[in-house]
């Protein structure tokens, strides 16, 4: 596990743009995971970190929720994309 975390950290520190996302209809766990990972990445990397998703109204209270971008506002290139809490099926 330590090796995988080290690999992820290396990828993030070498990247210029990072995308974090989850399932099409994200729940609080998925949104919270993306926003928390965004903060962690920003603490170790100078990369631009975008979180995307259509956020239901009931989660508008979450810290940093105003940083979540709609798909149409995303950049056309990301060095790293991470999907959190996605369905494997």
């Amino acid at each position: 596990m330590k090796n995988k975390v080290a690999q992820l950290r290396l990828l993030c520190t070498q990247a210029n743009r990072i995308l974090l996302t989850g399932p099409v209809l994200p729940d609080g766990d998925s949104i919270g995971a993306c926003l928390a990972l965004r903060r962690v990445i920003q603490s170790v990397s100078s990369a631009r970190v975008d979180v995307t998703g259509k956020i239901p109204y009931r989660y508008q209270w979450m810290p940093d929720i105003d940083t979540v971008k709609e798909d149409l506002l995303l950049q056309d290139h990301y060095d790293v994309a991470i999907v959190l809490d996605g369905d494997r099926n």
Side-chain angles (χ1 to χ4, degrees):
M1 181 68 162
K2 280 186 179 183
N3 191 30
K4 298 239 185 239
V5 172
Q7 289 174 345
L8 179 60
R9 182 179 179 152
L10 181 63
L11 281 173
C12 291
T13 57
Q14 293 177 340
N16 291 314
R17 291 185 180 155
I18 299 170
L19 176 65
L20 304 178
T21 191
V24 174
L25 299 172
D27 60 11
D29 291 341
S30 176
I31 297 164
C34 286
L35 293 173
L37 184 56
R38 178 180 176 268
R39 284 187 177 198
V40 170
I41 292 171
Q42 288 179 323
S43 74
V44 298
S45 174
S46 62
R48 175 181 172 160
V49 183
D50 290 335
V51 176
T52 185
K54 185 162 177 66
I55 308 301
Y57 178 77
R58 68 179 172 263
Y59 301 119
Q60 294 298 317
W61 60 269
M62 297 178 97
D64 297 333
I65 200 71
D66 59 324
T67 65
V68 177
K69 296 183 177 187
E70 292 190 32
D71 293 342
L72 296 174
L73 300 176
L74 295 178
Q75 298 293 321
D76 60 351
H77 171 77
Y78 289 91
D79 303 307
V80 176
I82 302 171
V83 179
L84 297 167
D85 200 31
D87 188 1
R88 290 190 215 181
N89 297 326

